């Protein structure tokens, strides 16, 4: 078979329990003036912030902090940048969940610019970012979005004219990603569950994407192997188990690398449209729609005949993998596709993933959502009625 693909660079990855400490050795390589982008309060409550402040003072680093609550908006990014544009900044460090990592990424990208981030958002502005940025180190405290390894920052404005769009350039991949599973131990249960489902969704959607390539496939299978047994147990009884937290953090990291190279499908198409219209966590949209969307994709792939064979095989391989199979030679495609859907439905129940209705979404919103939903790199074309059915079953 003739191979033809791109694979973008990845951050310098520092992975392991306790390795946040290496941040303090890295900072002097970039300079002495640092902006920390952090979340609302959880980092400070965990006392990690005190350790960071102590280390910064000990090393005579000049640092400022920007607190981010909720998903980054254009106004948040613009205001943050305005306050620092005339200062010499050598490095931006984002420590937090996906929203914080994205906010830090956008701030590092917009510090060298003179106008609003809105102008550079895909589908919103008319400009393309040139990749010139202040160096950026991403330190995730949740295991979900994989943003520590991606080249885009998702910026959200919620409302009738709202959007959830990306600032994107290959050079926006963080310079370093420090993944310390100890930082994730204090992550609340519901966030652990929805972020875990987001990470799995990203792995599955990248694996079945028409843009998948041998490298993303190999990484994805490896990522799924790591998180398949950790996903439910980290939520139920092993939230403090560093080995299980490490497995989830690894799966999340890999999901970011593969999504940056293979793209995503309909679940993230919905996450984009629904996230622009309603205040709902990204992981909840993904988690709640994953099983239904997968069921629909399989149904439509089955109707394609030979054209759908590869997509079905890939779904079946994931089903077999989740079911404990190590070899896929004699795989029963129909059976393992069904097993995949069944396991995803079970995970959705076991992890208590909310229905969309909990966030104020009703059947009257479905048309508006579908109007704004793009299929992205879905493995099969879905019709309006298919999207309607997926949503209707999770309202
Ligand atoms: Fe996601």
């Amino acid at each position: 078979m003739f191979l033809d693909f791109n694979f973008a660079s990845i951050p310098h990855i520092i992975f392991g329990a306790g390795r946040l400490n290496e941040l303090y050795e890295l900072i002097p390589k970039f300079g002495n003036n640092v902006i920390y982008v952090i979340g609302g309060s959880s980092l400070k409550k965990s006392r990690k912030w005190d350790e960071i402040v102590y280390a910064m003072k000990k090393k005579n680093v000049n640092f400022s902090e920007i607190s981010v609550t909720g998903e980054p908006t254009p106004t948040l990014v613009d205001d943050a940048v305005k306050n620092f544009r005339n200062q010499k900044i050598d490095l931006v460090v984002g420590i937090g969940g996906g929203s914080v990592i994205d906010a830090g990424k956008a701030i590092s990208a917009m510090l060298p610019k003179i106008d609003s981030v809105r102008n550079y958002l895909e589908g919103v502005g008319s400009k393309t970012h040139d990749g010139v940025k202040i160096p950026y180190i991403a330190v995730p405290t949740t295991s979900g979005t994989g943003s520590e390894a991606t080249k885009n920052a998702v910026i959200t404005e919620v409302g009738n004219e709202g959007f959830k769009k990306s600032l994107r350039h290959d050079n926006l991949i963080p310079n370093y990603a420090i993944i310390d599973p100890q930082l994730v131990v204090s992550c609340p249960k519901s966030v652990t569950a929805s972020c875990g489902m987001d990470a799995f969704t990203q792995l599955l959607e990248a694996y079945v994407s028409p843009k998948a390539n041998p490298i993303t496939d190999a990484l994805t299978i490896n990522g799924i192997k790591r998180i398949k047994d950790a996903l439910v147990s980290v939520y139920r009884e092993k939230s403090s188990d560093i080995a299980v937290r490490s497995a989830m953090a690894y799966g999340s990291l890999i999901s970011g690398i593969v999504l940056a190279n293979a793209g995503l499908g309909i679940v993230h198409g919905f996450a984009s449209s629904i996230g622009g219209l309603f205040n709902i966590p990204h992981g909840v949209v993904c988690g709640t729609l994953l099983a239904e969307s997968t069921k629909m994709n399989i149904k439509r792939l089955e109707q394609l005949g030979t054209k759908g064979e590869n997509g079905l095989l890939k779904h079946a391989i994931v089903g077999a993998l989740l079911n404990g199979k190590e070899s896929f030679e004699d795989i029963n495609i129909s059976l393992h596709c069904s097993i995949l859907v069944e396991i995803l439905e079970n995970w959705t129940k076991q992890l208590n993933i909310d229905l969309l209705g909990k966030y104020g979404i009703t059947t009257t919103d479905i048309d508006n959502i579908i109007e704004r939903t793009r299929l992205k790199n879905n493995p099969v074309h879905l019709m309006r009625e298919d999207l309607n059915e997926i949503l209707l079953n999770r309202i």
Side-chain angles (χ1 to χ4, degrees):
M1 193 176 86
F2 185 74
L3 292 174
D4 187 351
F5 63 88
N6 291 353
F7 193 87
S9 64
I10 58 175
H12 183 132
I13 295 164
I14 297 175
F15 189 104
R19 298 194 70 186
L20 174 67
N21 288 338
E22 294 177 36
L23 171 67
Y24 316 130
E25 307 306 318
L26 277 178
I27 286 174
K29 291 184 184 175
F30 294 95
N32 208 35
N33 302 292
V34 180
I35 297 177
Y36 276 92
V37 180
I38 61 175
S41 62
S42 56
L43 182 70
K44 290 188 174 174
K45 274 188 203 154
S46 74
R47 295 216 315 249
K48 276 282 168 201
W49 183 245
D50 294 339
E51 285 177 35
I52 293 167
V53 170
Y54 177 75
M56 292 301 97
K57 286 185 176 163
K58 206 169 154 196
K59 288 197 172 282
N60 290 318
V61 172
N62 302 319
F63 68 98
S64 309
E65 60 183 269
I66 297 170
S67 279
V68 176
T69 48
E71 295 180 346
T73 62
T75 309
L76 181 145
V77 174
D78 289 348
D79 286 350
V81 169
K82 196 164 54 190
N83 292 333
F84 291 98
R85 207 171 252 144
N86 295 324
Q87 298 179 34
K88 181 181 178 324
I89 303 296
D90 301 310
L91 177 70
V92 178
V93 180
I95 306 185
S99 297
V100 173
I101 302 295
D102 274 355
K105 202 184 283 179
I107 289 166
S108 82
M110 293 309 296
L111 279 167
K113 300 281 172 284
I114 53 164
D115 51 348
S116 170
V117 67
R118 190 181 283 270
N119 297 338
Y120 299 87
L121 295 178
E122 290 173 347
V124 177
S126 57
K127 291 185 171 178
T128 305
H129 198 279
D130 59 5
V132 175
K133 67 168 191 183
I134 302 296
Y136 182 50
I137 298 179
V139 187
T141 60
T142 61
S143 298
T145 66
S147 177
E148 66 272 18
T150 67
K151 57 189 169 190
N152 65 310
V154 179
I155 307 296
T156 305
E157 193 155 88
V158 176
N160 262 343
E161 299 303 315
F163 55 78
K164 201 172 178 67
K165 295 288 181 184
S166 281
L167 173 68
R168 192 187 310 266
H169 190 281
D170 279 356
N171 204 36
L172 300 190
I173 288 176
N175 302 64
Y176 281 82
I178 301 179
I179 298 119
D180 181 346
Q182 280 178 355
L183 295 175
V184 195
V185 167
S186 55
C187 182
K189 257 175 102 81
S190 62
V191 179
T192 295
S194 57
C195 285
M197 282 296 265
D198 182 25
F200 185 82
T201 305
Q202 290 166 182
L203 288 166
L204 178 60
E205 292 203 305
Y207 187 61
V208 300
S209 161
K211 281 174 65 188
N213 65 56
I215 300 177
T216 58
D217 280 355
L219 286 171
T220 309
I221 291 295
N222 183 261
I224 291 174
K225 276 185 183 168
R226 292 272 177 178
I227 74 168
K228 72 185 177 71
D229 297 324
L231 189 64
V232 174
S233 69
V234 75
Y235 173 72
R236 281 190 164 170
E237 74 278 351
K238 295 200 171 167
S239 63
S240 302
D241 185 320
I242 289 294
V244 176
R245 285 288 188 186
S246 294
M248 292 306 300
Y250 179 79
S252 170
L253 167 70
I254 297 299
S255 78
I257 296 171
V258 295
L259 83 83
N261 285 284
L264 294 165
I266 184 58
V267 181
H268 277 80
F270 279 131
S272 179
S273 56
I274 294 173
L277 287 165
F278 301 93
N279 266 315
I280 176 169
H282 173 79
V284 172
V285 183
C286 293
T288 207
L289 297 178
L290 178 61
E292 284 296 326
S293 301
T294 304
K295 189 159 66 177
M296 186 59 77
N297 278 344
I298 290 169
K299 180 177 157 187
R300 291 299 175 208
L301 282 166
E302 282 170 342
Q303 290 168 346
L304 284 184
T306 50
K307 279 188 181 165
E309 279 175 2
N310 187 49
L312 286 173
L313 174 63
K314 285 191 132 181
H315 281 88
I317 287 173
V318 177
L321 196 56
L322 298 187
N323 203 32
K325 244 174 138 29
E326 291 284 335
S327 156
F328 312 118
E329 300 285 310
D330 57 344
I331 199 166
N332 179 325
I333 290 182
S334 169
L335 172 70
H336 287 102
C337 282
S338 302
I339 287 173
L340 171 62
V341 173
E342 200 180 311
I343 290 174
L344 296 182
E345 286 172 345
N346 281 338
W347 282 356
T348 312
K349 285 188 201 124
Q350 289 172 311
L351 296 172
N352 293 310
I353 302 292
D354 292 327
L355 292 167
L356 297 172
K358 192 176 173 196
Y359 298 85
I361 302 168
T362 67
T363 51
T364 58
D365 297 309
I366 287 182
D367 280 347
N368 194 18
I369 292 170
I370 292 175
E371 211 58 57
R372 295 157 186 251
T373 300
R374 300 290 168 264
L375 291 177
K376 296 188 170 240
N377 290 289
N378 205 53
V380 63
H381 181 74
L382 298 180
M383 291 173 291
R384 197 181 175 93
E385 70 218 51
D386 300 334
L387 305 187
N388 191 72
E389 189 179 323
I390 293 168
L391 291 171
L392 210 49
N393 288 336
R394 294 303 298 170
I395 289 281

